[in-house]
Amino acid sequence: MSGASGAGRVVDLNADVGEAGDEAGIAVERALLGLVTSAHVACGGHAGDQASMRATVLAALHNGVRVGAHPSYPDRAGFGRQPMEMAFGELQSALRAQLGDLIAVAEGCGTSVGSVKPHGALYADVARGGVACVALLGVMAELCHPDTPLVLPAGAPARPLVKEMGLATLAEGFCDRAYTADGKLQSRQEAGSVFADPAQAAAQAISLARDGTVVAHDGTVLTLRVDTLCLHGDSPQAAAMATAVRRAFAAAGIAVTAALAP
């Protein structure tokens, strides 16, 4: 993000989509695509198939939203939220299939994949660096445009490794999730970890967008440099939260646009 506090700030607002399993969920995602600037589309690991990918990509394009990929461990039963022990080659094959499928769908719809953001447990494992990160970076180097950024949580230990491999990153903050004192997301198993109040999401988004600060669940004030802010598409309140965030940004003079890798 760039600019001074308040007016003049520019922020990307992204959502994880293509995950809905019923019409109500799809309706929420479609409403969300009218409010965000980037969308990371589930590509078959934890959710999604060829039909959902195509429909979601077309809906994103209809709303002028940049398309990104949202690969995960191949864990549809657990929605990709539990770590998986996989051989390096097996993990790369799974990620290659997911990214390859979405890239082909995007090209068939007349666009390209503009960023890659791993999902759930893979997101956490990639952020730490190590085997999962190297596996994903290798697949990105094979399949993606060289300028395609990897989306990581702000302050992720993996950032130096990604830069060392010559790839770009985008640092992500979250509008709708509580933080721990060490800058990680609070476990979904704990009360209050996932926001239900649009006003709470809007307040956290404004704080992150203005000066990169967020109050952790224990009251600790964190400073996180972020390039993009996420709203999860699998929340029934997602569209209401995105609406509240956009209204708060407009009132504060904060512009919303798809992020470019710094």
Side-chain angles (χ1 to χ4, degrees), residues 201-213 229 245 247-252 254:
Q204 184 154 298
I206 283 286
S207 183
L208 283 165
R210 276 180 166 162
D211 53 23
T213 61
L229 293 173
V245 169
R247 287 174 177 167
F249 283 166
I254 297 170

Side-chain angles (χ1 to χ4, degrees), residues 70-159:
H70 200 37
S72 74
Y73 285 120
D75 173 30
R76 297 180 80 88
F79 202 66
R81 288 183 173 151
Q82 296 300 319
M84 293 183 69
E85 292 290 336
M86 299 180 68
F88 183 83
E90 182 184 7
L91 177 56
Q92 278 208 317
S93 293
L95 296 175
R96 188 178 292 112
Q98 292 178 56
L99 284 179
D101 283 350
L102 185 63
I103 288 169
V105 168
E107 290 177 349
C109 294
T111 189
S112 60
V113 170
S115 57
V116 176
K117 175 188 170 181
H119 165 82
L122 183 65
Y123 182 78
D125 287 349
V126 168
R128 284 191 287 269
V131 174
C133 185
V134 173
L136 179 56
L137 291 174
V139 173
M140 287 179 63
E142 289 177 28
L143 301 181
C144 299
H145 188 279
D147 294 335
T148 304
L150 174 63
V151 179
L152 295 170
R159 285 178 67 90

Side-chain angles (χ1 to χ4, degrees), residues 1-12 208-211 225-228 253-260 262:
M1 295 191 286
S2 61
S5 178
R9 293 290 282 176
V10 178
V11 58
D12 175 47
L208 283 165
R210 276 180 166 162
D211 53 23
R225 177 197 167 280
V226 297
D227 303 303
T228 182
I254 297 170
V256 182
T257 187
L260 297 176

Side-chain angles (χ1 to χ4, degrees), residues 145-213:
H145 188 279
D147 294 335
T148 304
L150 174 63
V151 179
L152 295 170
R159 285 178 67 90
L161 171 62
V162 179
K163 291 185 177 180
E164 184 179 310
M165 293 186 66
L167 298 175
T169 63
L170 290 172
E172 183 175 46
F174 291 83
C175 305
D176 55 4
R177 292 291 307 276
Y179 282 87
T180 61
D182 60 358
K184 296 183 175 66
L185 294 181
Q186 188 178 6
S187 169
R188 285 177 175 266
Q189 307 306 313
E190 299 180 28
S193 62
V194 181
F195 297 167
D197 181 5
Q200 185 181 17
Q204 184 154 298
I206 283 286
S207 183
L208 283 165
R210 276 180 166 162
D211 53 23
T213 61

